[in-house]
Amino acid sequence: MRQPSHKTALLLMIIAPTMWSTAGVLSRHLESARGFEVSFWRSFFAAIFVFAVLAWQHKSQLGKKLIHLGPYGLASGFMWAAMFTCFMLALTMTTVANALIVESFAPLLTAIFAWIFLAEKIPNRTWLAILVAFAGMLWMFVDGFSKLDGRGLIGVVLALCVPFAVAANVIILKKGGQHVDLIPAVLVGGVISALLMLPFAWPFSASNHDILILATLGVFQLGLPCMIMVHAAKGLSAPEISLLSLLEVVLGPFWVWLAIGEEPARATLLGGSIVLGALIFNEVMAFREDKWRNQTSSR
């Protein structure tokens, strides 16, 4: 698949977290499925969807593509699995606010990893955007950051696996994605996640109504946007990918407010505005730098 332009990749990387952010709205309509079972069915349907798309695209060559994923593909698959499962496990032991605050470390970790493993020079504007976005995330959720007991501490440690997995996966996508199609790694991640969750999800309690919602989550909230992200990663820098992924957390409360009427706290609105401002600032400055660079080179 051809590398997208920066503008196309930017649009795709806005679409992906926007789709991720619908989880809260859809999960509010579940009748009986909870926790591990939600994670299992979501990963299961994501894997089925990605498999179907890849089988349609590559037909008899799909087996070869999976075999030829190589170390980058396998590593990416394990990172996807960690992202799919650790956040859900963390939510069973600590609050959503705690987990989201920890998850907001991802852009900073990604920038550090990109500097170390990709020798990527991170612009000052991006460092500033990362710090401002993190401050906005803290503002959004600091009121919900509860005092930690032993169980809560384990939950935070599990949640900390998510930004590390995100950062590592972004580096893998940037380093290996130029030579290997890493979209099948999303399938690998979904299969691993479903297998890990199955023992904890059994016996199933989801109704037919729940299965329909969970299938929607698996396809449109997990499988498709993750495939979109892999393609978008080819045209964006590593910190850009991770920064833009924060849109998921910013938009999540907005959709719940819009669809269900659950009004977010004022701190959530202000913090979300700060995060959005940081993302817009970084991309506008990048656009201006590219425009100035093109004008200079054409003289």
Side-chain angles (χ1 to χ4, degrees):
M1 193 176 289
R2 191 172 58 182
Q3 178 173 321
S5 66
H6 183 269
K7 288 183 179 179
T8 301
L10 179 61
L11 177 61
L12 291 174
M13 200 54 222
I14 290 173
I15 292 173
T18 300
M19 296 176 76
W20 290 332
S21 69
T22 59
V25 173
L26 292 171
S27 62
R28 291 298 177 90
H29 295 285
L30 292 172
E31 294 175 341
S32 54
R34 294 292 182 269
F36 295 114
E37 188 174 1
V38 171
S39 186
F40 166 78
W41 285 117
R42 196 177 68 132
S43 297
F44 173 80
F45 284 116
I48 293 295
F49 171 75
V50 176
F51 176 81
V53 172
L54 293 174
W56 174 71
Q57 288 180 332
H58 305 291
K59 299 180 175 61
S60 61
Q61 299 300 311
L62 177 56
K64 289 183 179 179
K65 289 191 74 68
L66 289 171
I67 292 172
H68 293 150
L69 269 176
Y72 285 121
L74 291 177
S76 181
F78 277 104
M79 292 306 103
W80 283 118
M83 291 154 61
F84 294 167
T85 56
C86 286
F87 186 74
M88 186 59 66
L89 291 174
L91 291 183
T92 66
M93 297 185 176
T94 189
T95 65
V96 174
N98 290 352
L100 290 175
I101 290 173
V102 172
E103 189 178 345
S104 67
F105 278 104
L108 179 59
L109 288 172
T110 302
I112 294 171
F113 284 6
W115 177 60
I116 295 173
F117 298 108
L118 300 178
E120 191 172 295
K121 185 178 179 181
I122 312 300
N124 290 333
R125 59 172 169 78
T126 300
W127 286 115
L128 177 61
I130 288 170
L131 293 175
V132 172
F134 179 63
M137 292 286 292
L138 282 177
W139 197 335
M140 286 179 71
F141 299 109
V142 72
D143 288 342
F145 202 85
S146 59
K147 294 181 180 179
L148 297 176
D149 54 14
R151 182 179 176 82
L153 183 60
I154 295 173
V156 168
V157 171
L158 284 170
L160 192 58
C161 293
V162 177
F164 273 97
V166 169
N169 201 27
V170 170
I171 300 305
I172 292 166
L173 293 176
K174 292 301 297 178
K175 200 170 181 67
Q178 306 301 327
H179 312 290
V180 181
D181 181 8
L182 292 179
I183 288 180
V186 180
L187 168 61
V188 174
V191 170
I192 294 172
S193 175
L195 290 175
L196 287 174
M197 292 293 98
L198 181 57
F200 302 100
W202 187 266
F204 299 138
S205 62
S207 63
N208 290 336
H209 172 269
D210 286 355
I211 293 295
L212 180 60
I213 292 175
L214 292 166
T216 303
L217 279 169
V219 173
F220 297 106
Q221 189 270 328
L222 195 61
L224 180 58
C226 289
M227 295 175 73
I228 290 173
M229 176 191 164
V230 173
H231 185 53
K234 297 177 181 179
L236 297 170
S237 69
E240 275 183 309
I241 298 166
S242 194
L243 262 175
L244 289 166
S245 68
L246 291 180
L247 282 171
E248 174 192 3
V249 181
V250 175
L251 293 175
F254 175 75
W255 300 135
V256 175
W257 181 19
L258 195 66
I260 303 176
E262 185 178 298
E263 186 172 350
R266 186 176 180 182
T268 301
L269 295 175
L270 290 174
S273 299
I274 292 172
V275 175
L276 281 175
L279 301 181
I280 292 170
F281 164 80
N282 187 59
E283 292 306 322
V284 169
M285 293 302 293
F287 176 77
R288 288 184 175 180
E289 288 175 8
D290 288 342
K291 187 176 180 180
W292 178 83
R293 194 179 298 113
N294 292 334
Q295 289 176 344
T296 303
S297 61
S298 63
R299 289 175 185 173

